[in-house]
């Protein structure tokens, strides 16, 4: 009998592959959480890593039970920090105040780079008016 001859052979193969990938995902998440935790001593991090290497399934299970809530809280806190940083960056590069835009347009007009009509159009745009 050939190994891949039936549907169930494929089914079990993909089921076990899914379980293996999920297991690896949990181990990687634990390692990331260990290094994200600023309250945990470096020696304790080393102990967790050693146990993850030599007894990975049991250590992963114990870690998720003992430190799962903190793991979730650190993850949420990091996501919030990323969102705040992203929002701050977007605000800093996307919107200038209308007075800044008008001042820039006035400087360009004074230098002769733009005409009075273009200055008025930029001013109206900065103030949110349609022209």
């Amino acid at each position: 009998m050939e190994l891949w001859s039936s549907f169930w052979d494929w089914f079990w193969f993909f089921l076990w592959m899914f379980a293996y990938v999920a297991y690896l995902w949990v181990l990687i998440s634990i390692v990331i959480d260990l290094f994200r935790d600023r309250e945990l001593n470096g020696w304790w991090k080393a102990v967790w890593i050693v146990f993850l290497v030599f007894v990975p399934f049991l250590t992963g299970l114990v870690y998720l039970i003992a430190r799962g809530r903190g793991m979730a809280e650190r993850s949420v806190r990091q996501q919030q920090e990323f969102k705040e940083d992203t929002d701050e960056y977007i605000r800093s590069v996307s919107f200038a105040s209308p007075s800044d835009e008008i001042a820039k347009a006035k400087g360009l007009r004074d230098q002769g780079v733009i005409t009075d009509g273009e200055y008025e159009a930029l001013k109206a745009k900065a103030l949110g008016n349609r022209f």
Side-chain angles (χ1 to χ4, degrees), residues 96 98-110 114 119 122:
S99 60
D100 290 341
E101 292 295 321
I102 293 171
K104 287 179 190 175
K106 185 175 184 323
L108 291 173
R109 183 187 68 177
D110 293 343
I114 61 173
Y119 167 74
L122 288 172

Side-chain angles (χ1 to χ4, degrees), residues 2 7 16 20 26-27 64 68 73 76 78 82 95 111-112 124 128:
E2 192 174 317
F7 167 77
W16 283 110
Y20 180 70
V26 168
L27 289 181
L64 291 176
E73 291 169 356
V76 167
Q78 184 178 27
F82 284 157
F95 296 110
Q111 292 174 0

Side-chain angles (χ1 to χ4, degrees):
M1 183 170 121
E2 192 174 317
L3 179 64
W4 303 107
S5 62
S6 73
F7 167 77
W8 292 108
D9 292 336
W10 283 99
F11 175 78
W12 286 111
F13 172 75
F14 283 113
L15 181 72
W16 283 110
M17 287 303 297
F18 174 79
Y20 180 70
V21 170
Y23 171 70
L24 287 178
W25 185 288
V26 168
L27 289 181
I28 291 169
S29 296
I30 289 171
V31 171
I32 290 170
D33 184 64
L34 278 171
F35 288 104
R36 183 185 299 156
D37 188 5
R38 295 180 182 144
E39 298 173 4
L40 192 62
N41 185 328
W43 288 104
W44 281 111
K45 290 178 184 181
V47 168
W48 278 110
I49 294 293
V50 166
F51 276 104
L52 276 173
V53 169
F54 292 110
V55 192
F57 185 77
L58 182 61
T59 306
L61 190 60
V62 169
Y63 188 89
L64 291 176
I65 292 169
R67 299 179 47 89
R69 176 174 287 166
M71 188 175 181
E73 291 169 356
R74 283 184 291 279
S75 178
V76 167
R77 186 173 50 239
Q78 184 178 27
Q79 288 175 2
Q80 289 172 345
E81 289 172 3
F82 284 157
K83 183 180 182 321
E84 290 169 2
D85 291 344
T86 301
D87 291 346
E88 181 181 334
Y89 173 74
I90 289 171
R91 278 192 298 275
S92 72
V93 297
S94 64
F95 296 110
S97 68
S99 60
D100 290 341
E101 292 295 321
I102 293 171
K104 287 179 190 175
K106 185 175 184 323
L108 291 173
R109 183 187 68 177
D110 293 343
Q111 292 174 0
V113 176
I114 61 173
T115 64
D116 288 336
E118 291 171 325
Y119 167 74
E120 292 300 325
L122 288 172
K123 182 179 169 183
K125 183 178 177 185
L127 294 173
N129 299 334
R130 299 269 179 199
F131 50 89

